[in-house]
Every structure is written in structure tokens, then in C-alpha cells.
């Protein structure tokens, strides 16, 4: 079985902004696990375990969704957390939900549901995961940091493709491998 998800890769300027923020979080003394900046992505939907034989059908759905959308731009917003109040478990960098992004996510999820994949019941909130909180120590400092840094400078970036990823869980954190990449716009 292949643990998988569909996501948008993010370019270096966004990874650099996120890496700076992850370093700030680590310095707060909060027990967290941060992903590698090089592996950051904007998840559209988590598929769970799939068979290798499922990849072609998933790629076809992604091609249909991607070819209907032209390349577009997104921008980062600021940090936030899940849950929004109380004890944060996940700290993230927000992405402004453009109409193109919301349409793409809807097309991808709709197409995948036709293959039998369950649609996420929670509303889609575009974000990049910066840290997973592993304890309660220093949570007040973390909440203050999230509130203080909520006005970070936005980083605009182009979005030109989406990808099907494999997630391999390891003791040091998840490692991701692209299984398929699809460019936006009609094929030439």
C-alpha cells in the first residue's frame, strides 16, 4: 500500500519564509517536530493508502482538473494553528484562498470521489504545516508568537502544477516522493 496525498509544490522563496518561521518556533522552547523546508507542500487532499494500480486513474483525474485551470499566483498570509483556540497541535503558515485554488481543490476532490475516495468533511483551509506540537510546555509563548507574527510580509508565488505524492512515515518524520506531476493549462 502507498500512503498518498495530492498537493501543490511550493517554490524556494516560500520554503525560505517557512524555514525562518520554523526556526523562530524552535527557539520558543516548545516541544515541536518541524518538517524539512524542502518537503513543504500545499495539500489539496489526503488519499490514504492506495494500490500502485490506482495511480493511473488518479493521474487521469489530476490531468482533467489541472488542464481546466491556467497557472495562477498565490501568496502567504501569516501563521495560525489548529485548533484555533486553546492548545495548538499544528502550527501553520496560511495561504490566501484564491478563486483558482478553491476551484482546483473542488475539481480534484470531485474527480477523486468518482473513483471512490472519501471527500474531506472539514472546509478546505490552505496552509503549509510549520510544526506539530508534541507537548504542553511553552504553549503561551507559542500563542503569543502566532499573534505577534500574524502580520508577516506576504510572499507571492506562481503555481504551475500539482502532484500526487507518496508519504513514507519514518521516526524522523515523513518523507515525500512525487508519483505524478501534472502541469496546469491545456496540453499542447
Amino acid at each position: 500500500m502507498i500512503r498518498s496525498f495530492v498537493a501543490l509544490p511550493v517554490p524556494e522563496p516560500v520554503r525560505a519564509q517557512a524555514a525562518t518561521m520554523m526556526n523562530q518556533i524552535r527557539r520558543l522552547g516548545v516541544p515541536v517536530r518541524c518538517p524539512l523546508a524542502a518537503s513543504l507542500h500545499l495539500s489539496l487532499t489526503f488519499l490514504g493508502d492506495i494500490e500502485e494500480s490506482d495511480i493511473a486513474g488518479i493521474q487521469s483525474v489530476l490531468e482533467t482538473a489541472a488542464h481546466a485551470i491556467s497557472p495562477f499566483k498565490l501568496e502567504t498570509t501569516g501563521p495560525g494553528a489548529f485548533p484555533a483556540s486553546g492548545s495548538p497541535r499544528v502550527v501553520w503558515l496560511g495561504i490566501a484562498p484564491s478563486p483558482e485554488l478553491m476551484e482546483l481543490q473542488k475539481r480534484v476532490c470531485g474527480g477523486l470521489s468518482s473513483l471512490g475516495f472519501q471527500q474531506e468533511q472539514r472546509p478546505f483551509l490552505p496552509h503549509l504545516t510549520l510544526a506539530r506540537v508534541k507537548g504542553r510546555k511553552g504553549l503561551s509563548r507559542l500563542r503569543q508568537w502566532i499573534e505577534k507574527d500574524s502580520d508577516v510580509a506576504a510572499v507571492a508565488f506562481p503555481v504551475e502544477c500539482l502532484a500526487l505524492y507518496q508519504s513514507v512515515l519514518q521516526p524522523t518524520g515523513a518523507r515525500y516522493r512525487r508519483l505524478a506531476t501534472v502541469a496546469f493549462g491545456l496540453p499542447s
Side-chain angles (χ1 to χ4, degrees):
M1 297 298 274
I2 300 169
R3 188 172 192 264
S4 62
F5 60 93
V6 177
L8 303 174
V10 295
E12 177 53 34
V14 176
R15 292 193 306 265
Q17 180 185 40
T20 298
M21 296 173 84
M22 286 187 273
N23 286 333
Q24 292 170 352
I25 294 168
R26 286 184 191 103
R27 287 194 298 268
L28 295 173
V30 179
V32 295
R33 178 178 287 170
C34 296
L36 296 172
S39 68
L40 288 175
H41 56 272
L42 172 54
S43 294
L44 298 180
T45 189
F46 180 73
L47 301 177
D49 290 331
I50 64 169
E51 299 287 342
E52 191 164 335
S53 58
D54 295 329
I55 294 173
I58 294 167
Q59 183 170 351
S60 179
V61 165
L62 299 184
E63 288 170 352
T64 299
H67 293 165
I69 301 211
S70 296
F72 56 96
K73 287 192 180 289
L74 291 174
E75 69 178 28
T76 61
T77 56
F82 296 131
S85 61
S87 299
R89 304 302 305 153
V90 174
V91 181
W92 44 260
L93 172 60
I95 304 293
S98 75
E100 297 91 347
L101 175 61
M102 303 312 279
E103 178 65 21
L104 174 65
Q105 196 268 348
K106 180 177 154 187
R107 286 175 178 269
V108 166
C109 290
L112 290 170
S113 70
S114 73
L115 296 179
F117 289 97
Q118 295 289 325
Q119 290 203 24
E120 179 66 53
Q121 297 305 307
R122 295 175 289 191
F124 177 54
L125 178 65
H127 68 278
L128 306 176
T129 299
L130 297 175
R132 296 188 183 283
V133 180
K134 299 299 180 186
R136 301 194 51 78
K137 179 182 168 196
L139 288 183
S140 62
R141 289 189 303 273
L142 180 59
R143 283 191 295 268
Q144 288 172 352
W145 177 85
I146 291 168
E147 291 170 15
K148 176 184 82 65
D149 275 15
S150 62
D151 60 352
V152 296
V155 173
F157 61 100
V159 181
E160 298 171 343
C161 67
L162 76 157
L164 172 64
Y165 286 88
Q166 177 181 10
S167 174
V168 179
L169 300 178
Q170 299 176 336
T172 56
R175 298 286 183 255
Y176 307 119
R177 180 173 74 95
R178 283 193 207 185
L179 301 174
T181 302
V182 180
F184 293 133
L186 293 174
S188 38

